[in-house]
Amino acid sequence: MYCVRKITEDLYWAGGNDHRLALFENIHPIPRGVSYNSYVLLDQKAVLFDTVDWSICRQFLENIEAVLNDRNLDYMVINHVEPDHAACIEEIILRYPDAKIICTEKAFMFMHQFGFPIDDKAIKVKEGDTMSFGKHKVAFVSAPMVHWPEAMVSYDTTNGVLFSADAFGSFGALDGKLFNDEVNFDRDWIDDARRYYTNIVGKYGPHVQALLKKASNLDIKFICPLHGPVWRNDFVYLLDKYDKWSRYEPEEKGVMIVYATMYGNTESAASDLATRLVKKGMTNVVMYDVSKTHVSYLISETFKYSHVVLASVTYNLKIYPPMLNYIMDMKALNLQKRIFAIIENGSWAPQAGKLMRELLDEMKEMTILDSDVTVSSAMKEDNVDSMEAIANSIVDSI
């Protein structure tokens, strides 16, 4: 049975939801599932904007058939060739063999690499090109590295719809809802939206800034991403988040304490610091066990807060492996502009602090407070002064 929703005149959502997938890109947990969004424009010509992941292909094909209602499909616009959006291209070609495929030159190359039979079907477009499908004229805007090099976005100049590809998306299944004002986004969605952006697109902040600059010149009435809700109002809220994330500016003044503990002693030291911070008036404090919290959540929270405390036990004279993985993910995703404090623990040769400092020094615009704390096996009275000093340094820097 088909399941579609009308977005605005002539435009329909024809995507679907996946609650069975456990790991997005086989890495990131998605306990609330994910939506794959696809859109159909019915004008003098019928146009499909992107397809969906193979996991919901049957639902997708039923939706397309229902929206077209015995019409032929004339065009398929491919904004992004990643398989969670492009997996069903060949299924569309098989059912609608006369449809032409509109894409960038690099997208054409990628579709070849995936084995799609598109040679005689492709219409290659570039920045500034437009196509008219009747009363609707669509402009194509290059968006390289948001987050693949072939990506573009498409802007319907007639109704103000921006088909934004992987920009402005979110983890989470829609479950009957479609628009941003049908959900409590700031309560129920912002954490998934941040985790999606920071882990999927976060490395490419300058490219997102370039796209935001282009978007600022458009009269946008709807934002139609490939995952998550369609936006039809409150654009300032969404664009402010994307502006901060892509400039690597923290959303909040607060302290995130990430600790690596084997037997609870480093956790105890981290808890002591958290208590001291709160007693000094800094109540926006969160704590995470690096071994129990998936790194995608840690990255998302690191983009959120202004200050990060790394508290790690030494392991084989190195950084505790889950902590090392977290720091390396920070580096890979180009995180910048944070203030760090360091606590290390070790029973005979504490090394984690020095090694963590070296890694942070390799990143851009990171500030590391001088008042490191070294714990020998477990926190004792002789650590109190240094713990008080690091708490004061954090509060003073805020």
Side-chain angles (χ1 to χ4, degrees), residues 107 120 143 153 156 168 269 271 291 318 331 344-345 354 359 378:
D120 59 343
V153 300
D156 189 329
F168 309 118
S271 296
S291 296
K318 302 290 184 182
K331 184 177 180 181
E344 68 174 358
N345 191 359
K354 174 176 75 73
L359 289 175

Side-chain angles (χ1 to χ4, degrees), residues 205-246:
H207 299 85
V208 175
Q209 281 288 308
L211 180 59
L212 289 174
K213 185 176 181 180
K214 293 178 183 180
S216 69
N217 298 317
L218 304 176
D219 183 19
I220 297 173
K221 299 293 196 303
F222 295 86
I223 298 176
C224 292
L226 290 177
H227 300 289
V230 169
W231 288 76
R232 60 183 176 185
N233 52 39
D234 207 10
F235 300 127
V236 171
Y237 170 90
L238 179 65
L239 294 173
D240 177 66
K241 295 296 186 185
Y242 259 68
D243 182 51
K244 282 188 170 69
W245 295 338
S246 57

Side-chain angles (χ1 to χ4, degrees), residues 87-296:
C88 297
I89 287 175
E90 190 165 7
E91 293 299 315
I92 294 296
I93 291 172
L94 290 171
R95 288 162 176 78
Y96 306 100
D98 295 329
K100 298 294 185 180
I101 298 174
I102 302 169
C103 63
T104 65
E105 176 73 42
K106 195 169 288 287
F108 177 80
M109 181 188 77
F110 284 179
M111 283 186 276
H112 254 290
Q113 291 178 187
F114 283 109
F116 297 139
I118 59 170
D119 279 344
D120 59 343
K121 300 179 180 300
I123 300 173
K124 299 172 189 175
V125 294
K126 60 185 183 302
E127 176 86 24
D129 286 350
T130 62
M131 285 192 67
S132 177
F133 303 111
K135 67 180 181 180
H136 291 266
K137 184 172 79 169
V138 174
F140 303 104
V141 180
S142 176
M145 303 318 301
V146 186
H147 65 117
W148 275 24
E150 92 300 355
M152 69 176 182
V153 300
S154 303
Y155 175 65
D156 189 329
T157 63
T158 304
N159 58 16
V161 173
L162 179 68
F163 300 96
S164 64
D166 265 349
F168 309 118
S170 177
F171 295 138
L174 292 168
D175 296 343
K177 307 171 187 69
L178 178 61
F179 298 105
N180 64 294
D181 54 11
E182 294 176 333
V183 302
N184 188 328
F185 197 89
D186 200 55
R187 183 190 68 193
D188 299 331
W189 281 82
I190 187 58
D191 288 342
D192 269 335
R194 184 190 305 105
R195 192 162 64 90
Y196 172 84
Y197 172 86
T198 57
N199 287 277
I200 306 300
V201 191
K203 179 181 177 66
Y204 306 108
H207 299 85
V208 175
Q209 281 288 308
L211 180 59
L212 289 174
K213 185 176 181 180
K214 293 178 183 180
S216 69
N217 298 317
L218 304 176
D219 183 19
I220 297 173
K221 299 293 196 303
F222 295 86
I223 298 176
C224 292
L226 290 177
H227 300 289
V230 169
W231 288 76
R232 60 183 176 185
N233 52 39
D234 207 10
F235 300 127
V236 171
Y237 170 90
L238 179 65
L239 294 173
D240 177 66
K241 295 296 186 185
Y242 259 68
D243 182 51
K244 282 188 170 69
W245 295 338
S246 57
R247 288 188 295 111
Y248 305 99
E249 297 287 349
E251 289 175 66
E252 298 180 7
K253 294 287 188 181
V255 183
M256 175 186 177
I257 302 175
V258 183
Y259 62 89
T261 193
M262 293 173 64
Y263 301 107
N265 294 305
T266 308
E267 178 183 9
S268 179
S271 296
D272 180 272
L273 175 60
T275 302
R276 292 176 190 276
L277 291 169
V278 173
K279 287 166 67 175
K280 293 177 186 295
M282 172 40 65
T283 57
N284 191 12
V285 178
V286 295
M287 290 180 59
Y288 292 98
D289 182 339
V290 74
S291 296
K292 296 174 67 175
T293 309
H294 191 273
V295 70
S296 68

